[in-house]
């Protein structure tokens, strides 16, 4: 009987090893308020290319497995939230070159994020990542296309089994939160936005 149970356990490990598990990067939005933010009182636009919004990325997890997620779709609520906290209003824009549409939306600046991520795990037995990193390379342009500012914000997230057993995305959410809090502080300090 023990031999049969052992064989079944080995079979389960073999059939599940190497698969990609979906996680979500969106942190709780009520945790994205950095200290000392003074609202600008303008409308910020943000542009995410439709192909990027639907893009799925796969990176390593634990136990030989991988994790998959949609970085741009997942972080869009965080981006909008952070921009609203600094500017007061944030709106998605459909085109970077349609100046009439930008004028109709009263957009003062357009934020264009480029998101890169990585993950890893020191666990051989569980699939959620124990370490996650996010980098936001954000270019900001005026409605006429001139670059106003460019900055890079980074965040790291760690989670061990006792942390993530109820939230398999925890390390990723922590990294996203850290990156967007970093971005918020940087944006708040740019004199050109005032």
């Amino acid at each position: 009987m023990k031999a049969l149970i052992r064989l079944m356990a080995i079979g389960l490990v073999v059939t599940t090893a190497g698969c990609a598990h979906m996680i979500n990067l969106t942190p709780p939005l009520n945790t994205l308020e950095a200290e000392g933010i003074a609202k600008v009182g303008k409308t910020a636009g943000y542009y995410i290319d439709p192909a990027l919004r639907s893009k799925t990325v796969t990176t390593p997890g634990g136990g030989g497995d991988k994790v998959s997620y949609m970085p741009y779709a997942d972080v869009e609520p965080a981006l909008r939230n952070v921009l609203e906290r600094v500017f007061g209003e944030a709106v998605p824009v459909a085109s970077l070159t349609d100046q009439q549409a930008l004028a109709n939306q009263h957009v003062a600046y357009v934020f264009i994020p480029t998101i890169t991520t990585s993950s890893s795990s020191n666990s051989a037995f569980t699939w959620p990542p124990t370490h996650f990193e996010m980098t936001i390379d954000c270019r900001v342009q005026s409605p006429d296309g001139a670059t106003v500012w460019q900055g890079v914000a980074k965040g790291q997230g760690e989670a061990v089994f006792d942390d993530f057993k109820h939230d398999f995305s925890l390390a990723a959410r922590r990294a996203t939160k850290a990156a967007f809090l970093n971005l918020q502080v940087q944006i708040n300090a740019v004199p050109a936005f005032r």
Side-chain angles (χ1 to χ4, degrees), residues 91-112:
V91 295
V93 299
S95 169
L96 293 172
T97 57
D98 188 344
Q99 292 187 7
Q100 187 58 55
L102 295 174
N104 290 345
Q105 291 180 289
H106 308 289
V107 171
Y109 308 104
V110 180
F111 286 71
I112 309 156

Side-chain angles (χ1 to χ4, degrees), residues 87-186:
F87 289 91
E89 187 172 355
V91 295
V93 299
S95 169
L96 293 172
T97 57
D98 188 344
Q99 292 187 7
Q100 187 58 55
L102 295 174
N104 290 345
Q105 291 180 289
H106 308 289
V107 171
Y109 308 104
V110 180
F111 286 71
I112 309 156
T114 300
I115 309 291
T116 54
T117 56
S118 65
S119 65
S120 62
S121 176
N122 55 17
S123 173
F125 302 105
T126 56
W127 64 262
T130 59
H131 179 79
F132 201 94
E133 294 184 8
M134 174 176 288
T135 300
I136 309 163
D137 187 337
C138 194
R139 183 170 66 84
V140 183
Q141 69 180 44
S142 60
D144 64 4
T147 298
V148 177
W149 178 77
Q150 184 152 3
V152 176
K154 297 184 178 189
Q156 293 186 23
E158 308 286 337
V160 296
F161 178 75
D162 283 345
D163 294 331
F164 68 60
K165 63 185 174 184
H166 299 297
D167 182 359
F168 299 139
S169 304
L170 188 58
R173 293 185 204 278
R174 286 176 171 170
T176 305
K177 174 184 172 181
F180 276 94
L181 284 173
N182 185 335
L183 181 65
Q184 185 178 169
V185 169
Q186 289 188 47

Side-chain angles (χ1 to χ4, degrees), residues 52-70:
L52 291 177
R53 186 178 270 114
S54 62
K55 178 181 179 180
T56 299
V57 170
T58 302
T59 55
D65 285 9
K66 299 179 186 302
V67 290
S68 293
Y69 43 91
M70 300 176 72

Side-chain angles (χ1 to χ4, degrees), residues 7-43:
L7 282 173
M8 289 173 55
I10 290 170
L12 180 63
V13 169
V14 169
T15 58
T16 59
C19 63
H21 303 271
M22 285 301 292
I23 61 172
N24 185 286
L25 310 184
T26 309
L29 298 182
N30 64 349
T31 67
L32 292 177
E33 187 165 4
E35 292 184 17
I37 302 299
K39 283 197 178 173
V40 175
K42 296 178 182 176
T43 299

